[in-house]
Amino acid sequence: MKIKPLGERIVIKVLESEEKTKSGIVLPDTAKEKPQMGEVLAVGSGKTLDNGQKVPMEVKVGDKILFAKYAGTEVKVDGEEYMVLKESDVLAILE
Amino acid sequence: MKIKPLGERIVIKVLESEEKTKSGIVLPDTAKEKPQMGEVLAVGSGKTLDNGQKVPMEVKVGDKILFAKYAGTEVKVDGEEYMVLKESDVLAILE
Amino acid sequence: MKIKPLGERIVIKVLESEEKTKSGIVLPDTAKEKPQMGEVLAVGSGKTLDNGQKVPMEVKVGDKILFAKYAGTEVKVDGEEYMVLKESDVLAILE
Amino acid sequence: MKIKPLGERIVIKVLESEEKTKSGIVLPDTAKEKPQMGEVLAVGSGKTLDNGQKVPMEVKVGDKILFAKYAGTEVKVDGEEYMVLKESDVLAILE
Amino acid sequence: MKIKPLGERIVIKVLESEEKTKSGIVLPDTAKEKPQMGEVLAVGSGKTLDNGQKVPMEVKVGDKILFAKYAGTEVKVDGEEYMVLKESDVLAILE
Amino acid sequence: MKIKPLGERIVIKVLESEEKTKSGIVLPDTAKEKPQMGEVLAVGSGKTLDNGQKVPMEVKVGDKILFAKYAGTEVKVDGEEYMVLKESDVLAILE
Amino acid sequence: MKIKPLGERIVIKVLESEEKTKSGIVLPDTAKEKPQMGEVLAVGSGKTLDNGQKVPMEVKVGDKILFAKYAGTEVKVDGEEYMVLKESDVLAILE
């Protein structure tokens, strides 16, 4: 089963501390309980501007991203937990 | 009797836990009391932008959707319970 | 005496429980005290967009509508009670 | 002395209960202390849209109007009390 | 020393009760402590719309105006008290 | 070291009471603790409108300005205190 | 590992008091605990306007900036602490 996010939304898999250690990335202590890093699994078709134009998404599938704390909605599909968030809640891409 | 939603609204049938088990989808425990999955029964004509243009709906009748908690309005028509919500409250389509 | 609503507003007659029973429509128990169904008696000329364009109304006189709880303003004209609301508070048309 | 309202504003004379009885119009009991009907004495030049265009006023001098409770500002000029309100606070015109 | 208001702002001299009596204008009792009438001493260059266009000011120097209670900022220049307010806080011009 | 404000921001030197006395300008007593007058030291490139157009700044270096109380952010550079504020917080220019 | 900020965001390294002393810049005492100066390490592609146009960033890599208190989000990547903020939270560039 596939999750296709709408508009400017993306679906991510939140990356746990173990994976962070592997990639050498650690989030500050105060954010330990609520990780801010994820891997993009699916992206929407983009935001629709007031002139009807679609804005292409900046993030793409496979990107490692930092996202704003408290952003997004957790969902569980086929026993797996994902998070749906808006691209505007993505702070940066890690390259 | 048919319900025709206005503008960017859609009418959905909320999918109960039993149906979720069949399709292999389970929502997180904290969301058990307020399901977030539904099947689209009717869609509006789309949102009107500030330039007068109509934005075509991304969701269509028959889509299985995830929607934001606390979104929408419950209505009962002919003894059946439905929910009317805005497309912007739809997080993702399940395919 | 006629009530001509302004802009994107409409005038409705709120439909009481008795009428609902006749048409086979019942609202959920929690909404019993504040019905959400009405019949459209008059519609305004439509909303004016930021580019000066008028958006034609989607609802028309005679439509049976579902409307958002707490929306609108009650008025009494010639001893009859009506409700003035914005089309954006109309959830759906019942056909 | 004349009062010339600015932009999308209008000046009205609030109609008291006696006048309402004459015209056969009565407001609901809960609104008795704060009448919602008035007669338009002067209208502004209209709202300016974001593209610089002026929107012509829908209400005109002499119109009997219903207006939203708590809307507008009371003023007293030459010993007479008037109310200045925005056209967007006018619910409907009574014809 | 001259005060040149910016954008859609105006500078007014608040008119005291004595002046009001002369012109035959009295404000309601509840507004006695905070007068709502003034004379325009200077006007800005006008509001800039989102398309870059300047909206010409409707009020001009010398106009007697009614303005919204609690609007504006009091300033004292060369020992004289003035008030700076936005044209959108001007309710009406008295002619 | 120079401070170059961004967008519609300006950098001012707040003028103290002594300087005010020299120029004959006094602010009302209630504003004594938080002066509202300043001299413009630097201006940004102007606000960017929604159509991409830059709005030229109305204030220029050297202008004496009145600004809204509680507006702006105090900064100290090279031991000197300055204030960064938006042009929209400037009430008027003193000429 | 590189951090690529999205849209109108930038990544900065917050400058500590020691560095400030070197450059001769000191922030006011009340801001000691939460420094307001930083050096820009990476800039996004710019804000997208409602007409689809990208606004070029005013700040560039290497700029020393003053930024609004409480703005931005702290992140730690490869053991180093950074801050992600929007260009609109940048008050001024120090030259």
Side-chain angles (χ1 to χ4, degrees):
Chain A
M1 175 156 292
K2 246 184 66 189
I3 312 175
K4 181 186 144 195
L6 252 76
E8 55 175 323
R9 286 190 182 86
I10 64 172
V11 176
I12 64 167
K13 182 80 192 158
V14 176
L15 295 183
E16 302 297 336
S17 320
E18 290 75 27
E19 302 175 62
K20 271 170 221 150
T21 309
K22 274 187 289 178
S23 67
I25 290 165
V26 188
L27 292 178
D29 293 348
T30 55
K32 273 259 175 69
E33 298 80 73
K34 209 164 167 18
Q36 291 178 283
M37 205 168 85
E39 185 176 340
V40 179
L41 300 185
V43 301
S45 58
K47 191 184 171 182
T48 301
L49 296 176
D50 275 356
N51 64 3
Q53 193 181 330
K54 277 270 181 192
V55 184
M57 303 293 279
E58 277 197 72
V59 299
K60 55 181 193 304
V61 173
D63 278 353
K64 291 257 187 351
I65 59 154
L66 292 173
F67 60 94
K69 265 189 277 192
Y70 312 122
T73 307
E74 298 175 356
V75 294
K76 196 186 249 181
V77 176
D78 292 346
E80 288 284 319
E81 278 192 15
Y82 302 105
M83 187 165 269
V84 181
L85 48 129
K86 296 192 172 178
E87 194 188 51
S88 53
D89 290 322
V90 175
L91 299 170
I93 300 171
L94 294 163
E95 294 179 334
Chain B
M1 175 157 293
K2 246 184 64 187
I3 312 174
K4 181 186 145 194
L6 253 77
E8 55 175 322
R9 287 189 182 85
I10 64 173
V11 177
I12 64 167
K13 183 79 192 160
V14 176
L15 295 182
E16 302 297 336
S17 320
E18 290 75 27
E19 301 175 64
K20 271 170 223 150
T21 309
K22 275 188 290 179
S23 67
I25 290 165
V26 187
L27 292 178
D29 292 349
T30 55
K32 274 260 174 69
E33 299 79 73
K34 212 166 167 17
Q36 291 178 282
M37 204 169 86
E39 184 176 340
V40 180
L41 300 184
V43 301
S45 58
K47 191 185 173 182
T48 302
L49 295 176
D50 275 357
N51 63 3
Q53 193 180 330
K54 277 270 181 191
V55 184
M57 303 291 280
E58 276 196 72
V59 299
K60 55 181 194 304
V61 173
D63 278 354
K64 291 256 185 353
I65 59 154
L66 291 173
F67 60 95
K69 264 189 276 192
Y70 313 121
T73 307
E74 297 175 356
V75 294
K76 196 186 249 183
V77 177
D78 293 346
E80 287 284 319
E81 278 193 14
Y82 303 105
M83 187 164 268
V84 181
L85 47 129
K86 296 192 171 177
E87 194 187 51
S88 53
D89 291 322
V90 176
L91 299 170
I93 301 171
L94 293 163
E95 294 178 333
Chain C
M1 175 156 292
K2 247 184 64 188
I3 312 174
K4 182 187 144 194
L6 253 77
E8 55 174 322
R9 287 190 181 85
I10 65 173
V11 177
I12 64 166
K13 182 79 191 160
V14 176
L15 295 182
E16 302 298 335
S17 319
E18 291 76 26
E19 301 175 63
K20 270 171 223 150
T21 309
K22 275 189 290 179
S23 67
I25 290 165
V26 187
L27 293 178
D29 293 348
T30 55
K32 273 258 172 72
E33 299 79 73
K34 212 165 165 23
Q36 291 178 283
M37 203 168 85
E39 185 177 340
V40 179
L41 300 184
V43 302
S45 59
K47 190 184 173 182
T48 302
L49 295 176
D50 275 357
N51 63 3
Q53 193 180 329
K54 278 269 181 192
V55 184
M57 303 291 281
E58 275 196 73
V59 299
K60 55 180 195 304
V61 173
D63 278 354
K64 292 258 187 349
I65 60 154
L66 291 173
F67 60 96
K69 266 191 275 193
Y70 313 120
T73 307
E74 297 176 356
V75 294
K76 195 186 248 184
V77 176
D78 293 347
E80 287 283 319
E81 279 193 12
Y82 303 104
M83 187 165 266
V84 181
L85 48 129
K86 296 193 170 175
E87 195 187 51
S88 53
D89 291 322
V90 176
L91 298 171
I93 301 171
L94 293 163
E95 295 178 333
Chain D
M1 175 156 290
K2 247 184 63 189
I3 313 174
K4 182 188 143 194
L6 253 78
E8 56 174 323
R9 286 190 182 86
I10 65 173
V11 177
I12 64 167
K13 182 79 192 158
V14 176
L15 296 182
E16 302 297 333
S17 319
E18 291 75 26
E19 302 176 62
K20 270 170 222 150
T21 309
K22 275 189 289 179
S23 68
I25 291 165
V26 187
L27 293 178
D29 293 348
T30 55
K32 273 258 173 70
E33 298 79 72
K34 210 161 165 28
Q36 290 179 283
M37 203 167 86
E39 186 177 340
V40 180
L41 300 184
V43 301
S45 59
K47 190 184 172 182
T48 301
L49 296 177
D50 275 356
N51 64 2
Q53 193 181 329
K54 278 270 183 192
V55 184
M57 302 290 282
E58 276 197 73
V59 300
K60 54 180 195 305
V61 173
D63 277 354
K64 292 258 188 349
I65 59 152
L66 293 172
F67 59 96
K69 266 190 276 193
Y70 313 120
T73 307
E74 298 176 356
V75 294
K76 195 186 251 185
V77 176
D78 294 346
E80 287 283 321
E81 278 192 13
Y82 303 105
M83 187 165 266
V84 181
L85 49 129
K86 296 194 170 173
E87 194 187 52
S88 53
D89 291 322
V90 176
L91 298 170
I93 300 171
L94 293 163
E95 295 180 332
Chain E
M1 175 156 291
K2 247 185 63 187
I3 312 175
K4 182 187 143 193
L6 253 77
E8 55 175 324
R9 286 190 181 86
I10 64 173
V11 177
I12 64 166
K13 182 80 191 155
V14 176
L15 296 182
E16 302 297 333
S17 319
E18 290 76 26
E19 301 176 64
K20 270 171 222 148
T21 309
K22 275 188 288 180
S23 67
I25 291 166
V26 187
L27 293 178
D29 294 345
T30 55
K32 273 257 172 71
E33 299 79 71
K34 208 159 168 31
Q36 290 178 282
M37 202 167 86
E39 186 177 340
V40 179
L41 300 184
V43 301
S45 59
K47 189 184 173 181
T48 301
L49 295 177
D50 275 357
N51 64 1
Q53 193 181 329
K54 278 270 183 191
V55 184
M57 302 291 281
E58 275 197 74
V59 300
K60 53 180 194 306
V61 173
D63 278 354
K64 292 257 189 350
I65 60 152
L66 293 172
F67 60 94
K69 267 189 277 193
Y70 313 121
T73 307
E74 298 175 355
V75 295
K76 195 186 252 183
V77 176
D78 293 346
E80 288 283 320
E81 277 191 13
Y82 302 106
M83 187 165 265
V84 181
L85 50 129
K86 296 193 170 176
E87 194 187 53
S88 54
D89 290 322
V90 176
L91 298 170
I93 300 171
L94 293 163
E95 297 180 332
Chain F
M1 175 157 290
K2 247 185 63 187
I3 312 176
K4 182 187 143 193
L6 252 77
E8 55 175 325
R9 287 190 182 86
I10 64 173
V11 176
I12 63 167
K13 182 80 191 155
V14 176
L15 295 182
E16 302 299 335
S17 318
E18 290 76 27
E19 300 175 65
K20 271 170 222 149
T21 310
K22 276 189 288 180
S23 67
I25 290 166
V26 187
L27 293 178
D29 293 347
T30 55
K32 273 255 173 73
E33 298 79 73
K34 208 160 169 24
Q36 289 179 284
M37 203 168 86
E39 186 177 339
V40 180
L41 300 185
V43 301
S45 58
K47 190 184 172 182
T48 301
L49 295 177
D50 275 356
N51 63 2
Q53 194 181 328
K54 277 268 182 193
V55 184
M57 303 291 281
E58 276 197 73
V59 300
K60 55 181 192 306
V61 173
D63 278 353
K64 292 256 185 353
I65 60 152
L66 292 172
F67 61 94
K69 267 189 277 194
Y70 313 121
T73 307
E74 298 175 355
V75 294
K76 196 186 250 181
V77 176
D78 292 347
E80 288 283 319
E81 276 193 15
Y82 303 106
M83 188 165 265
V84 181
L85 47 130
K86 295 192 171 177
E87 194 187 51
S88 54
D89 290 323
V90 176
L91 299 171
I93 300 171
L94 292 163
E95 295 180 332
Chain G
M1 176 157 290
K2 247 184 64 189
I3 312 175
K4 182 187 144 195
L6 252 77
E8 54 175 325
R9 287 190 182 86
I10 64 173
V11 176
I12 64 168
K13 181 80 191 157
V14 176
L15 295 182
E16 302 298 335
S17 319
E18 290 76 27
E19 301 175 63
K20 271 169 221 151
T21 309
K22 276 188 287 179
S23 67
I25 290 165
V26 188
L27 293 178
D29 294 347
T30 55
K32 273 257 175 70
E33 298 79 72
K34 209 163 166 28
Q36 291 178 284
M37 205 168 85
E39 185 177 340
V40 179
L41 300 185
V43 301
S45 58
K47 191 185 171 182
T48 301
L49 296 176
D50 275 356
N51 64 2
Q53 194 181 329
K54 278 268 182 195
V55 184
M57 303 291 280
E58 277 197 73
V59 300
K60 55 181 193 305
V61 173
D63 278 354
K64 291 257 185 352
I65 60 154
L66 292 172
F67 61 94
K69 266 189 277 193
Y70 312 122
T73 307
E74 297 175 356
V75 294
K76 195 186 249 181
V77 176
D78 292 347
E80 288 283 319
E81 278 193 14
Y82 303 105
M83 188 165 266
V84 181
L85 47 130
K86 295 192 171 177
E87 194 188 52
S88 54
D89 291 322
V90 176
L91 299 170
I93 300 171
L94 294 163
E95 295 179 333

